[in-house]
Amino acid sequence: MDAFAEGEAVTNLHWRDAPVPSPPLGLGALDAPGVLATHVVLPVDQVVGAPAHLDHVESATLPCAGVTAWNALFGDHEVLPGQKVASLGTGGVAVYAMQLAKAAGAEYYGIVRRPEAAARLLGAGANGVVDDFSEWSAKLRELTGGVDKLVDTVGTTTINESLAALAPHGEVALVGLFTQEPEPLDVMRLFGSGGSLRGVAVGSARQHRDLVAFVERHGIRPVVDGVHRFDDAPEAFAHHRRSGVVGKVVITVP
Ligand SMILES: NC(=O)c1ccc[n+]([C@@H]2O[C@H](COP(=O)([O-])OP(=O)(O)OC[C@H]3O[C@@H](n4cnc5c(N)ncnc54)[C@H](OP(=O)(O)O)[C@@H]3O)[C@@H](O)[C@H]2O)c1
């Protein structure tokens, strides 16, 4: 358990260490009130110190999007320097996946639905972008020859395309919950690559701590698309729902 001084900045954990997933901790539970509150009370073993170089807005992006991207990249089939990583969209998880992959010495490729998002990703360091969603796995393969890690941030409707984009022994880390209707899984694609499919549920306390250390070591600054005041929370949700957001939308407390 960590010890904290009064006033020290902390971020909240989603799970304790293995087994993950186990029942999530307070704020991680789906029926919990969440963090849109001026004050929350948490046991000391449910928080981790925030990276020293980040402000509160930046640190607030770590517990869900950051830890999920960390788990997707390093929780299994750890991404190695020189490998190729790809993800869908420009949301919080995908942009964290890009920043972490690049810092680990890997290449990052994005798949987005609109050209203006492609320009922003390329400007933020992506090695290449597929800028439409039709038959994107074939286009991604043309660009990369196959990727070692595909972080699928959409869900069941994209799994087969994600599997088709893998390099030999690559992994699809399934994160997305946007589409959940059961879809036939084209398992034969796994024989073609010797690849794997893994479900990701945020991450453990150890993964959260490893992320904080990595973010500090590499001086990573999370990408924040907009900051809204607490009493403008409805506008923050509207902002987040708009297409074209890159990174996280954050609400500050008074
Ligand atoms: N498994 C876990 O532990 C875990 C943890 C965190 C998040 N999630 C889930 O992972 C997903 C991504 O989270 P996030 O926080 O990064 O989301 P986000 O910030 O809301 O970003 C969503 C991104 O995905 C794109 N997108 C949305 N629906 C799409 C669809 N049907 N097809 C293609 N692209 C689509 C959006 O593109 P446009 O801008 O073009 O609309 C946007 O770039 C969400 O479903 C979220 O619930 C799961």
Side-chain angles (χ1 to χ4, degrees):
M1 198 185 307
D2 299 326
F4 298 102
E6 191 178 334
E8 211 172 312
V10 297
T11 57
N12 63 291
L13 287 175
H14 214 85
W15 314 104
R16 286 203 180 79
D17 277 327
V20 172
S22 48
L25 299 171
L27 292 174
L30 290 177
D31 58 354
V35 287
L36 187 56
T38 55
H39 296 78
V40 287
V41 178
L42 290 172
V44 70
D45 66 346
Q46 292 187 18
V47 294
V48 168
H53 68 296
L54 298 187
D55 61 27
H56 292 346
V57 165
E58 294 167 319
S59 292
T61 68
L62 286 162
C64 190
V67 177
T68 302
W70 177 268
N71 184 353
L73 263 54
F74 305 111
D76 207 344
H77 284 76
E78 181 172 353
V79 169
L80 301 171
Q83 287 192 329
K84 292 173 182 162
V85 175
S87 189
L88 299 155
T90 56
V93 177
V95 171
Y96 253 115
M98 175 175 73
Q99 292 185 286
L100 299 174
K102 298 285 299 183
E107 295 175 17
Y108 180 84
Y109 297 85
I111 305 109
V112 297
R113 300 199 275 196
R114 53 198 88 239
E116 58 274 22
R120 286 188 71 183
L121 265 192
L122 288 167
N127 295 81
V129 178
V130 173
D131 67 2
D132 75 88
F133 250 60
S134 64
E135 298 173 6
W136 57 263
S137 65
K139 291 170 188 159
L140 185 62
R141 289 191 73 85
E142 263 171 42
L143 196 60
T144 62
V147 296
D148 303 287
K149 178 81 70 174
L150 193 306
V151 182
D152 189 330
T153 48
V154 175
T156 54
T157 50
T158 42
I159 291 177
N160 288 329
E161 288 259 8
S162 293
L163 293 174
L166 289 183
H169 305 290
E171 183 190 70
V172 173
L174 178 63
V175 168
L177 299 164
F178 287 127
T179 58
Q180 301 186 16
E181 328 63 65
E183 293 272 335
L185 187 62
D186 187 355
V187 289
M188 297 312 285
R189 292 182 192 268
L190 289 173
F191 289 103
S193 64
S196 335
L197 170 63
R198 176 169 61 98
V200 168
V202 198
S204 67
R206 181 183 51 75
Q207 289 172 329
H208 191 128
R209 289 194 174 88
D210 289 348
L211 169 67
V212 168
F214 186 89
V215 163
E216 280 184 332
R217 196 160 63 248
H218 292 277
I220 292 172
R221 303 212 80 111
V223 176
V224 176
D225 196 86
V227 181
H228 298 265
R229 289 185 306 120
F230 189 78
D231 47 12
D232 285 337
E235 171 49 24
F237 284 103
H239 177 172
H240 180 246
R241 273 195 299 273
R242 281 196 285 275
S243 268
V245 171
V246 177
K248 294 293 293 182
V249 175
V250 177
I251 298 170
T252 54
V253 289

